[in-house]
Amino acid sequence: MNRRPTPLTAIALAAAAALSLSACGSGEDSSKDNDKIAGADTEADSSTSASPSASDSAERPTIKLPSDVKDVFTPEETGKPVEDAILRDNAELVRALDAAIVAQNPRLPALEFYTEGAGAAAAEKWVQGFKDAGWTVTGTTRYFDRAVKVKSETSAAIGYCADESKAYSKIIKTGKLTGTKVTKDSYVAYNVEVSKNEYGIWELVKITSTRGAAGCQP
């Protein structure tokens, strides 16, 4: 099942980052050997653990998705304030990407709010690919085994898997779903790098994926 109108490699070359959020089963990712998710089995080093921000002054945007688009995240919380803040902002980034695709707006303010630098450029090109193809998204994507590695007070890595077996691309003009066959490539491992800005937001700065990763298979 393929929710991706533009090859991952084209986005990576154009934006200097590999981005394949919300892409199902295309099999275009060549990094098959990288099945281990960064941070998935690693506790945050207590020597670099950040403390909760006392000045998280940002007013986060409200992101609304249509009833046929759903993102499910597990775990939502770990009980550790910093890690939980990182996971919350990561979840909102994923939802912002879907919202931008649904709105056919690569510069959706909510998406720009959660991205920076190469991550922002890649996200914009990603959404533009859907717009150029005349596609949107529908269905449910499940993000699981989410784990955080805190590197410093302003830097962290997140590892997680995505189950895209019930998420689809939809041709806007016809409503037709594209590529509904479930394969091992419907499961993706993600490695994400985030940076905390001056307002306390953990922004996406880099993301890579391994489609068909052994560690994410059911």
Side-chain angles (χ1 to χ4, degrees), residues 15 19 106 111-112 114-126 204-205:
L19 179 65
L111 183 57
E112 294 184 334
Y114 288 105
T115 59
E116 179 62 33
E124 181 179 338
K125 287 181 178 295
W126 178 249
L204 170 73
V205 294

Side-chain angles (χ1 to χ4, degrees), residues 85-107:
I86 293 168
L87 289 178
R88 283 194 297 269
D89 283 348
N90 173 254
E92 289 302 283
L93 161 71
V94 172
R95 297 179 71 249
L97 271 166
D98 279 348
I101 292 170
V102 170
Q104 299 284 280
N105 182 4
R107 299 296 301 274

Side-chain angles (χ1 to χ4, degrees), residues 14-184:
L19 179 65
S20 67
L21 286 172
S22 303
C24 297
S26 67
E28 293 168 354
D29 194 325
S30 61
S31 55
K32 298 293 184 180
D33 294 333
N34 183 20
D35 289 334
K36 187 173 182 180
I37 308 172
D41 58 358
T42 306
E43 291 294 329
D45 187 337
S46 59
S47 65
T48 59
S49 294
S51 58
S53 173
S55 59
D56 186 344
S57 59
E59 183 176 347
R60 287 166 171 76
T62 299
I63 300 172
K64 295 183 179 180
L65 294 173
S67 60
D68 66 319
V69 179
K70 187 175 182 180
D71 296 312
V72 179
F73 303 93
T74 55
E76 291 185 344
E77 297 182 347
T78 66
K80 299 178 181 180
V82 175
E83 293 185 12
D84 289 350
I86 293 168
L87 289 178
R88 283 194 297 269
D89 283 348
N90 173 254
E92 289 302 283
L93 161 71
V94 172
R95 297 179 71 249
L97 271 166
D98 279 348
I101 292 170
V102 170
Q104 299 284 280
N105 182 4
R107 299 296 301 274
L108 189 75
L111 183 57
E112 294 184 334
F113 186 88
Y114 288 105
T115 59
E116 179 62 33
E124 181 179 338
K125 287 181 178 295
W126 178 249
V127 177
Q128 186 66 49
F130 277 88
K131 182 177 181 179
D132 292 344
W135 289 9
T136 186
V137 291
T138 187
T140 299
T141 305
R142 183 171 65 93
Y143 298 91
F144 61 99
D145 289 347
R146 303 168 76 218
V148 177
K149 171 67 175 181
V150 179
K151 298 179 179 180
S152 72
E153 291 189 356
T154 59
S155 177
I158 316 169
Y160 55 92
C161 293
D163 172 2
E164 300 174 340
S165 61
K166 296 181 180 179
Y168 314 98
S169 302
K170 183 169 67 175
I171 300 172
I172 294 174
K173 286 186 177 181
T174 65
K176 180 181 178 180
L177 302 183
T178 64
T180 56
K181 183 178 179 180
V182 177
T183 71
K184 68 182 182 66

